[in-house]
Amino acid sequence: MSLYPPSDDFASNAHIDAATYDEMYRASVENPEAFWGEQAHRLDWITAPTKIKNTTFEYPDVSIKWFEDGELNVSANCIDRHLAERGTQTAIIWEPDSPDDEAQHITYQQLHAHVCKMANVLKDMGVSKGDRVVLYMPMIPQAAYAMLACARIGAIHSIVFAGFSPDALSDRIQGSQAKVVITADEAPRGGRNTPLKTNVDTALNKAGTDTKVLMVKRTGGDVPFQAGRDVWLHEAEDGVANSCEPEVMNAEDPLFILYTSGSTGMPKGVVHTTGGYLLYASMTHKFTFDYKDGEVFWCTADVGWVTGHSYIVYGPLANGATTVMFEGVPTYPDAGRFWAVCEKHKVAQFYTAPTAIRALMGKGDDFVKPYDLSSLRILGTVGEPINPEAWNWYNDVVGKGRCPIVDTWWQTETGGHLITPLPGAIPTKPGSATKPFFGVQPLVLDPQSAEVQTEMAAEGVLVMADSWPAQMRTVWGDHERFVKTYFSDYKGYYFTGDGCRRDEDGYYWITGRVDDVINVSGHRMGTAEVESALVAHPAVSESAVVGFPHEIKGQGIYCYVTLMEGQEATEELRTELSNHVRKEIGPIAKPDVIQWAPGLPKTRSGKIMRRILRKIAEDDYGSLGDTSTLADPSVVDDLIANRGG
Ligand code: WTA
């Protein structure tokens, strides 16, 4: 396996070289209190913390607190403290969907004014500390203003990805009992407009809450307006003060809720808090990307996902960086858009998902070649394992062999990178997320016996032995679910839900989820969510959903559907069911395959044997394993005979 070390020149100019990594890593795990107490100085505290770490993974008394007597404000850390030195520096570069529209450069001073005004508008709408605000926004600067405005007044934001359906939005509005939803008239993406405001209306009708709506004018399209409930931001901001005192927040006050999919039930609200999250987002942004003052950093994620939270907004802005916000998609107007934007804004760090790399690789090198990519220094990936072919293309064609690739493994729950190369310190291997970040203590357990694998080369499930500052603290409204989901299968550890291999050099290779979560284009989806959408259709009696390998998306969605007695299995119905799932959850959940299944393979006690369904979906019948425990083994033959549709 080839090893890709950084050049000497790169390593000697990097924040962290190999020796520093070893020394800091050792310090961070030998004495976490001292290490994190020292690192906490990176933030501006109103009251400096004296209690650094107070965490236990002991089942069922799991409790996680960092810097618990410290006080600070996230928006003051991301804006105000930079004003004296870099008030006129660009904080956000906004690149609109269409390259024909002009990009915007928002300075830290301007950011301050925008955020303060929006904070004052929210206060006028009755939002105060601890209240929840849902954001359902396009990728426009106002999305970042809204996040920071909430943080400024101590409101808890919960962002719902703008690609989610009104039903999914409605569930999340109800789940958090939001006082206000912030949205826009429409969201342009790839030349098409999503009717955000109309979706919000549908969601609120269903939710039956008395949530108010704050609307940003993005396209100027004609959208419904309900007087007394809806407020236009530009009207409300008129005459509002452009300063707003930041609220004093405890380090453990919630900063945001973000819903994510799990192996069972409906998505859960992951809760992140103020001090530990911000410190960790800021440190990982600086060290993983070797970010230096004045550089332009671009993370292509959407703020609707955790990657957008930590690496478009909080991490970069805490570091006084210039961060790019891109409204569009990689293939519009053509497959060269990413590289055009890198050239135009002289991007130094570029961070995207393997699914995008694979899709662009498929379009050919000619979309990359015309652009001057000499400003690039670091390339990053996130969200799913990257296959060596895509890694090599990224390295050779985009990075011209001179940009270290950081393959960052982490989760919504972890708040920031846990396993990742630090580019000046750790030689990379294509497909490996390499080594743990400071303070992170991964272990590999045998999935059955739960024994810790002590050999360096090992394979099993990935757990964490101790807490790090940006760890999620609880599930919104359901602490028991938090404890049960992450701490009950392997007692004393945080269970990631991922499988992994550790090689003889101590490098970690993530092998994918070991639970019923699938990863479609880097987006997490619970198979249970898709199943529940399918059975909500009157024609469907039962369904089972599994992932299968997909060339571009990483995994695709494969649905086995048993119809109601007497229901005819037609092509029209197949399309209808596919659209139905899309409507219930959103376009990202659209099934790739729907197979009619007269019966599903079940044990005699009625449990569906997903292992078998996965194998059939993967086209791998040689290793179906023992099917003799099935109540009716013949259903398997039928499923194999009718595979794929
Ligand atoms: C997967 C995204 C391999 C993993 C930040 C994890 C990865 C899930 C990587 C979390 C990576 C994320 N290599 N797999 N570099 N990064 N994953 O919550 O299965 O949307 O558990 O967070 O994505 O997805 P989530």
Side-chain angles (χ1 to χ4, degrees), residues 11-34:
S12 60
N13 287 307
H15 288 305
I16 309 280
D17 63 11
T20 316
Y21 170 75
D22 289 344
E23 192 187 311
M24 283 176 74
Y25 182 75
R26 197 173 325 110
S28 73
V29 296
E30 279 175 2
N31 191 345
E33 297 264 342

Side-chain angles (χ1 to χ4, degrees), residues 260 305-307 381-386 407-413 419 433 496-498 510-513 519 522-524:
T260 195
W305 311 112
V306 73
T307 308
T381 72
V382 55
E384 44 175 331
I386 180 163
D407 176 350
T408 63
W409 175 85
W410 59 298
Q411 310 178 295
T412 306
E413 293 88 337
I419 301 182
T496 62
D498 278 329
I510 307 299
T511 48
R513 302 290 303 196
N519 193 326
H523 300 317
R524 257 167 88 160

Side-chain angles (χ1 to χ4, degrees), residues 135-152:
L135 274 58
Y136 186 66
M137 307 271 288
M139 282 290 291
I140 53 179
Q142 288 84 354
Y145 306 162
M147 294 164 76
L148 292 160
C150 288
R152 197 162 188 92

Side-chain angles (χ1 to χ4, degrees), residues 358-562:
R358 285 191 295 267
L360 296 179
M361 178 174 74
K363 304 277 182 190
D365 301 1
D366 286 348
F367 284 102
V368 191
K369 282 185 186 145
Y371 300 102
D372 173 6
L373 297 178
S374 58
S375 62
L376 288 174
R377 282 207 311 122
I378 307 268
L379 300 173
T381 72
V382 55
E384 44 175 331
I386 180 163
N387 48 311
E389 198 190 359
W391 195 99
N392 285 324
W393 185 81
Y394 203 28
N395 186 57
D396 300 341
V397 179
V398 179
K400 319 283 187 257
R402 47 167 203 85
C403 303
I405 294 182
V406 290
D407 176 350
T408 63
W409 175 85
W410 59 298
Q411 310 178 295
T412 306
E413 293 88 337
T414 72
H417 309 145
L418 290 200
I419 301 182
T420 177
L422 299 188
I426 301 171
T428 57
K429 300 182 187 185
S432 170
T434 77
K435 303 262 192 158
F437 193 76
F438 305 129
V440 172
Q441 300 184 49
L443 290 175
V444 180
L445 303 188
D446 178 90
Q448 265 76 46
S449 69
E451 250 167 66
V452 176
Q453 304 295 290
T454 48
E455 298 288 313
M456 188 58 97
E459 193 156 354
V461 294
L462 179 64
V463 302
M464 297 296 150
D466 201 357
S467 183
W468 62 98
Q471 184 170 22
M472 78 181 277
R473 301 301 198 254
T474 191
V475 169
W476 180 255
D478 195 350
H479 191 67
E480 215 179 299
R481 187 169 176 201
F482 172 63
V483 175
K484 195 166 169 295
T485 307
Y486 303 103
F487 301 93
S488 70
D489 289 352
Y490 301 99
K491 299 263 175 356
Y493 304 111
Y494 166 77
F495 175 42
T496 62
D498 278 329
C500 82
R501 184 167 72 76
R502 185 174 55 215
D503 69 18
E504 53 290 345
D505 300 324
Y507 276 49
Y508 289 84
W509 302 74
I510 307 299
T511 48
R513 302 290 303 196
V514 296
D515 53 12
D516 290 320
V517 171
I518 51 182
N519 193 326
V520 183
S521 301
H523 300 317
R524 257 167 88 160
M525 191 121 27
T527 51
E529 290 167 64
V530 184
E531 287 164 7
S532 120
L534 282 167
V535 295
H537 190 282
V540 175
S541 133
E542 198 171 24
S543 86
V545 173
V546 296
F548 73 106
H550 187 286
E551 211 175 305
I552 301 290
K553 299 199 275 188
Q555 279 189 300
I557 303 177
Y558 197 113
C559 310
Y560 297 89
V561 170
T562 308

Side-chain angles (χ1 to χ4, degrees), residues 280-294:
Y280 199 82
S282 138
M283 263 180 87
T284 46
H285 171 258
K286 178 162 178 169
F287 294 146
T288 302
F289 300 110
D290 193 44
Y291 183 81
K292 309 261 174 57
D293 280 353

Side-chain angles (χ1 to χ4, degrees), residues 278-323:
L278 190 67
L279 175 64
Y280 199 82
S282 138
M283 263 180 87
T284 46
H285 171 258
K286 178 162 178 169
F287 294 146
T288 302
F289 300 110
D290 193 44
Y291 183 81
K292 309 261 174 57
D293 280 353
E295 288 185 320
V296 175
F297 175 85
W298 183 16
C299 163
T300 70
D302 189 284
V303 290
W305 311 112
V306 73
T307 308
H309 285 64
S310 300
Y311 301 110
I312 294 175
V313 179
Y314 291 120
L317 296 180
N319 292 336
T322 299
T323 182

